[in-house]
């Protein structure tokens, strides 16, 4: 609270001195600096040429892509398919509304002093999925029905990732608590669940969800392929999540459990108010790691015939009308994934800083 | 501090045998930690338990709110017997406050939130009321100005005083202290002991495991000496320090009072 008696000395070096200490401090650092500099100079130029300067942005069709650079015209003309899949053009406003709500709920989370951002965040994990559940498939409230076989592209990727992330966290928490439970039956069930799901590749899970599950279900009972994939992804992911969270639970000193117990807090309050807030905070990096890897793993749904953004791009690349546009397509997909995954990562760093209360026990 | 005489103000509601321990045994695996303990504590009594390390004194007081379970004998706290029944355990824990050697404050909550957590969620006190009560207790332990800080920003002595306030916020009938000053730097021991002495003068039923013999002399009604999992000697402090009967007690006192 009080002002320091003396300000610490400034450590502003000036550009020449900074370069000398950081780039040319000795002969091998100088050599390294020069080598890296050479690589940058020789590669950035051609890259910029290909990406922007020589690239084609305008035109009417494949014939306009004649320059040496990238053919962004291809991405531009197929953007609708990349984002909405086969979702009917005249109904795409429904998806747009969801994109807008997603932005309204989550973009303010990056802005420290945005008014009501907590409530927007809560809306993002409660109201948003409910609205989406009505709006995207339609079939109620006079909305025309759009079957999930028509969904695709970025929209499908986001649906898979969003629901997978949202559902796997609470299930993971319960599994982690169960695995540390004193009750042998609950502990046993959780151990079996985690060890079985975690030991199976996601591709296998998706195959089984799409091919085998219908064989075991009674006649007349069937889920849509998308729902089956979602259940598979969520359960698979929650097994991973459980182990990440269990790591956090183990890091909480026994004294915290004892103090909460001694204050008369029962099991659920002890966990919910004292242990989990600390444990989850500790494992934010691990949780985010799992989220990001789930986000990228959604591309595997291609093998059961769902066209996520990668699938949509890949199927278009094969179009004989466009020649040699594979690189443009993959760069576009990579960029889309990077934007979302980097966003998740940045948000988690914000959160870690905000929740830091000088953790000492 | 003022010389303490019998706390007549709480004499009226003094209840004999608020804690009754009868023939209690405890084992860790095959190791017999507590052997046939018998002890009756009346409401308003101040008990100090001392003994060499490994004598089972901490384990014993942790049995009183069932942080450790005993395998044989009875522990009855305020007419509730401690068994496997979770409801009994919870109801005893509501009436028994505990202060730990390592404070065990919740680092993700502010001092005030630490104090209000249990009153709000267990006693169902409205938040405003709980906060007002918590501020009163924080004033009593002389740190109301730290209410909105996090435990990590406080010194050890301050943290331990918060821990005492946190336990008092549940308005317990009994307070257990498990070596409350052992983890503190020497200059902070006094501030915590002062709070404990003040609490003792208010008539609180207290059981303290401590090595602070000065505290035992001023505050305790009875001093209990444990060794090897047994209660070796039990006497008022004047007798305990002035004229110990058992050779093991004499040896222990010699060792700790030597320097």
């Amino acid at each position: 609270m009080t002002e320091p008696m003396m300000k610490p000395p400034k450590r502003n070096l000036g550009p020449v001195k900074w370069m000398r200490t950081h780039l040319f401090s000795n002969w091998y650092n100088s050599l390294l600096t020069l080598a890296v500099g050479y690589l940058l100079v020789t590669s950035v130029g051609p890259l910029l040429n290909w990406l922007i300067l020589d690239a084609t942005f305008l035109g009417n069709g494949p014939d306009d892509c004649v320059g040496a650079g990238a053919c962004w015209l291809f991405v531009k003309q197929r953007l609708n398919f990349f984002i909405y899949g086969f979702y009917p053009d005249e109904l795409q406003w429904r998806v747009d509304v969801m994109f807008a709500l997603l932005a309204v709920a989550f973009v303010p989370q990056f802005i420290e002093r945005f008014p009501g951002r907590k409530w927007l965040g809560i809306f993002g994990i409660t109201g948003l999925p409910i609205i989406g559940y009505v709006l995207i498939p339609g079939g109620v409230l006079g909305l025309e029905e759009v079957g999930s076989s028509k969904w695709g592209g970025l929209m499908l990727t986001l649906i898979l990732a969003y629901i997978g992330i949202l559902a796997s966290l609470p299930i993971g928490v319960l599994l982690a608590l169960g695995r540390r439970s004193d009750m042998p039956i609950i502990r046993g069930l959780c151990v079996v669940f985690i060890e079985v799901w975690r030991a199976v590749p996601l591709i296998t899970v998706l195959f089984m969800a799409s091919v085998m599950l219908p064989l075991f279900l009674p006649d007349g009972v069937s889920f849509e392929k998308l729902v089956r994939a979602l259940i598979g992804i969520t359960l698979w992911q929650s097994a991973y999540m459980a182990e990440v969270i269990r790591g956090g639970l183990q890091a909480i000193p026994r004294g915290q459990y004892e103090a909460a117990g001694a204050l008369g807090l029962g099991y659920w309050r002890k966990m919910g108010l004292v242990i989990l807030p600390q444990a989850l905070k500790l494992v934010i990096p691990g949780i985010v790691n799992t989220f990001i890897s789930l986000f990228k793993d959604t591309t595997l749904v291609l093998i059961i015939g769902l066209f996520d953004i990668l699938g949509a791009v890949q199927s278009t690349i094969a179009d004989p009308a466009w020649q040699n546009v594979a690189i443009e397509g993959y760069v576009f997909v990579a960029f889309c994934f990077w934007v979302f995954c980097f966003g998740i990562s940045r948000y988690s760093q914000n959160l870690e800083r905000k929740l830091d209360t000088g953790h000492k026990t | 501090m003022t010389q303490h005489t019998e706390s007549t103000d709480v004499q009226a509601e003094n209840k004999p045998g608020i804690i009754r321990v009868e023939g209690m045994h405890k084992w860790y695996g095959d190791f017999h930690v507590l052997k046939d303990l018998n002890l009756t504590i009346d409401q308003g009594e101040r008990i100090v338990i001392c003994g060499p390390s490994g004598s089972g004194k901490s384990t014993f007081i942790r049995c009183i709110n069932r942080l450790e379970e005993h395998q044989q004998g009875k522990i009855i706290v305020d007419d509730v017997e401690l068994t496997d029944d979770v409801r009994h355990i919870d109801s005893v824990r509501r009436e028994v406050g505990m202060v730990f050697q390592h404070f065990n404050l919740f680092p993700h909550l502010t001092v005030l939130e630490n104090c209000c957590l249990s009153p709000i969620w267990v006693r169902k006190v409205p938040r405003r009321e709980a906060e007002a009560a918590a501020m009163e207790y924080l004033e009593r332990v002389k740190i109301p100005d730290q209410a909105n800080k996090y435990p990590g920003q406080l010194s050890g002595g301050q943290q331990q005083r918060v821990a005492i306030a946190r336990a008092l916020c549940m308005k317990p009938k009994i307070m257990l202290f498990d070596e409350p000053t052992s983890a503190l730097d020497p200059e902070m021991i006094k501030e915590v002991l002062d709070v404990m002495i003040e609490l003792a003068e208010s008539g609180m039923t207290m059981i303290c495991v401590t090595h602070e013999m000065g505290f035992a002399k001023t505050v305790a009604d009875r001093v209990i000496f444990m060794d090897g999992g047994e209660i070796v000697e039990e006497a008022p402090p004047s007798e305990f320090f002035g004229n110990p009967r058992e050779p093991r007690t004499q040896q222990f006192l010699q060792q700790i009072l030597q320097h």
Side-chain angles (χ1 to χ4, degrees):
Chain A
M1 295 297 146
T2 49
E3 283 283 315
M5 300 300 183
M6 243 174 80
K7 287 209 170 118
K10 280 221 170 81
R11 259 181 60 87
N12 196 350
L13 290 176
V16 176
K17 226 173 171 188
W18 184 90
M19 274 167 65
R20 185 164 292 164
T21 47
H22 291 98
L23 300 177
F24 300 100
S25 55
N26 51 39
W27 68 267
Y28 55 83
N29 261 350
S30 308
L31 213 63
L32 213 61
T33 304
L34 291 174
V36 171
Y38 175 76
L39 277 176
L40 279 176
V41 169
T42 48
S43 62
V44 167
L47 196 65
L48 271 179
N49 280 343
W50 185 83
L51 278 173
I52 298 165
L53 298 178
D54 293 343
T56 313
F57 292 94
L58 301 170
N60 299 315
D63 298 335
D64 290 316
C65 276
V66 286
C71 179
W72 297 124
L73 186 59
F74 161 71
V75 173
K76 198 174 141 195
Q77 292 213 328
R78 294 311 188 95
L79 198 60
N80 196 57
F81 182 60
F82 294 168
I83 290 178
Y84 305 100
F86 299 105
Y87 211 87
D89 284 352
E90 68 278 11
L91 299 176
Q92 281 171 5
W93 62 269
R94 278 151 54 171
V95 183
D96 293 335
V97 167
M98 291 314 295
F99 279 136
L101 287 177
L102 198 68
V104 166
F106 292 111
V107 172
Q109 306 305 321
F110 294 91
I111 303 160
E112 199 65 45
R113 300 200 188 284
F114 198 90
R117 73 172 187 157
K118 186 174 145 201
W119 295 106
L120 287 172
I122 291 173
F123 164 77
I125 58 173
T126 53
L128 188 73
I130 296 171
I131 296 172
Y133 183 74
V134 174
L135 207 55
I136 302 259
V140 284
L141 304 174
L143 293 165
E144 196 181 322
E145 191 172 342
V146 182
S148 64
S149 57
K150 291 191 174 141
W151 308 0
L154 181 64
M155 158 201 158
L156 182 66
T157 299
L158 287 179
I159 290 174
L160 289 167
Y162 179 82
I163 297 180
I165 286 172
L166 203 65
S168 64
L169 186 63
I171 299 175
V173 167
L174 290 178
L175 285 170
L177 291 176
R179 193 166 184 169
R180 285 172 59 83
S181 162
D182 294 330
M183 287 175 269
I185 295 175
I186 290 181
R187 187 173 58 232
L189 286 174
C190 289
V191 169
V192 168
F193 182 95
I194 291 168
E195 295 303 337
V196 165
W197 283 90
R198 206 165 50 133
V200 178
L202 182 56
I203 292 194
T204 322
V205 171
L206 290 172
F207 264 131
M208 294 212 284
S210 99
V211 183
M212 274 176 64
L213 194 65
L215 299 179
F216 299 121
L217 289 174
D219 285 339
V221 178
S222 75
F223 297 114
E224 284 183 72
K225 188 155 65 179
L226 178 67
V227 177
R228 295 197 301 258
L230 261 175
I231 294 174
I233 290 176
T234 302
L235 294 181
W236 183 79
Q237 193 65 36
S238 53
Y240 272 90
M241 194 56 77
E243 288 298 278
V244 172
I245 292 165
R246 192 166 67 95
L249 290 174
Q250 275 171 347
I252 303 301
R254 213 176 113 200
Q256 294 288 310
Y257 292 86
E258 289 179 348
L263 283 169
L265 295 168
Y267 178 81
W268 291 108
R269 291 197 182 120
K270 176 166 73 181
M271 290 302 168
L273 297 168
V274 176
I275 305 301
L276 279 172
Q278 296 183 58
L280 292 176
K281 186 175 88 183
L282 278 177
V283 293
I284 286 174
I287 291 175
V288 171
N289 215 12
T290 316
F291 282 170
I292 287 178
S293 95
L294 167 68
F295 198 98
K296 292 181 296 182
D297 282 341
T298 56
T299 50
L300 291 171
V301 295
L302 181 61
I303 62 150
I304 58 167
L306 296 172
F307 282 89
D308 74 317
I309 186 168
L310 180 62
V313 169
Q314 239 170 351
S315 67
T316 328
I317 287 167
D319 184 348
W322 294 87
Q323 303 285 319
N324 300 325
V325 286
I327 299 178
E328 287 84 342
Y330 289 128
V331 167
F332 173 72
V333 172
F335 178 74
C336 289
F337 275 104
W338 179 80
V339 166
F340 284 99
C341 292
F342 185 66
I344 295 174
S345 159
R346 292 303 303 180
Y347 175 62
S348 80
Q349 284 167 34
N350 276 356
L351 201 62
E352 270 181 75
R353 254 197 312 277
K354 206 184 93 190
L355 295 180
D356 181 28
T357 57
H359 190 104
K360 272 187 269 172
T361 41
Chain B
M1 55 155 283
T2 51
Q3 186 59 43
H4 175 67
T5 50
E6 279 306 310
S7 49
T8 43
D9 47 339
V10 286
Q11 204 80 53
E13 52 179 289
N14 272 8
K15 176 177 178 174
I18 192 166
I19 299 173
R20 296 207 302 278
V21 180
E22 294 165 12
M24 192 263 270
H25 291 261
K26 174 171 177 59
W27 288 264
Y28 281 131
D30 286 335
F31 179 57
H32 200 173
V33 235
L34 297 177
K35 298 165 191 162
D36 192 29
L37 300 188
N38 291 285
L39 186 66
T40 302
I41 297 169
D42 297 334
Q43 193 164 15
E45 261 197 302
R46 277 98 37 175
I47 308 289
V48 166
I49 303 177
C50 60
S53 63
S55 59
K57 52 196 192 305
S58 279
T59 309
F60 174 44
I61 74 161
R62 289 157 60 86
C63 284
I64 294 172
N65 65 352
R66 193 90 174 174
L67 287 180
E68 305 279 354
E69 62 183 83
H70 58 286
Q71 281 90 21
Q72 206 179 307
K74 275 187 186 172
I75 300 177
I76 299 161
V77 180
D78 199 17
D79 297 329
V80 179
E81 187 180 349
L82 282 167
T83 57
D84 285 331
D85 192 326
V86 179
R87 280 165 305 169
H88 287 188
I89 297 172
D90 284 344
S91 79
V92 165
R93 284 176 176 177
R94 278 196 290 272
E95 305 305 330
V96 179
M98 186 161 202
V99 175
F100 299 85
Q101 182 178 358
H102 295 289
F103 331 136
N104 295 349
L105 293 176
F106 306 134
H108 62 303
L109 300 176
T110 64
V111 164
L112 191 62
E113 288 167 338
N114 262 279
C115 293
C116 294
L117 188 74
S118 206
I120 289 173
W121 289 91
V122 178
R123 290 243 193 261
K124 313 287 183 198
V125 179
R127 177 172 296 271
R128 201 175 285 267
E129 233 172 85
E131 283 179 356
M135 284 310 294
E136 256 171 56
Y137 284 111
L138 287 173
E139 251 156 60
R140 213 167 135 185
V141 301
K142 300 179 185 66
I143 37 174
D145 45 326
Q146 314 282 1
N148 292 312
K149 286 195 182 169
Y150 286 96
Q153 296 167 291
L154 305 185
S155 73
Q158 290 173 324
Q159 289 194 47
Q160 193 61 299
R161 286 185 282 149
V162 171
I164 294 172
R166 177 176 73 176
L168 291 175
C169 281
M170 284 293 281
K171 303 200 165 51
K173 291 183 178 157
I174 300 159
M175 284 285 283
L176 307 175
F177 292 84
D178 186 4
E179 306 204 25
T181 55
S182 301
L184 294 176
D185 291 336
E187 77 270 22
M188 293 173 184
I189 290 177
K190 187 176 175 295
E191 63 187 55
V192 171
L193 287 181
D194 284 347
V195 167
M196 289 171 63
I197 290 167
E198 203 258 343
L199 187 63
E201 285 170 351
S202 75
M204 175 65 76
T205 311
M206 290 166 71
I207 306 178
C208 309
V209 171
T210 183
H211 298 292
E212 297 296 330
M213 291 304 134
F215 174 77
K217 279 178 195 163
T218 22
V219 168
D221 295 312
R222 269 189 287 167
V223 181
I224 290 169
F225 174 68
M226 285 182 71
D227 190 19
E230 297 167 310
I231 294 180
V232 175
E233 186 160 352
E234 186 186 327
S238 54
E239 206 175 304
F240 182 86
F241 292 105
N243 189 18
R245 289 191 309 272
E246 301 288 330
R248 275 195 280 180
T249 318
Q250 290 160 6
Q251 196 194 348
F252 174 75
L253 286 176
Q254 248 169 26
Q255 274 167 352
I256 61 163
L257 297 177
Q258 242 166 18
H259 47 84

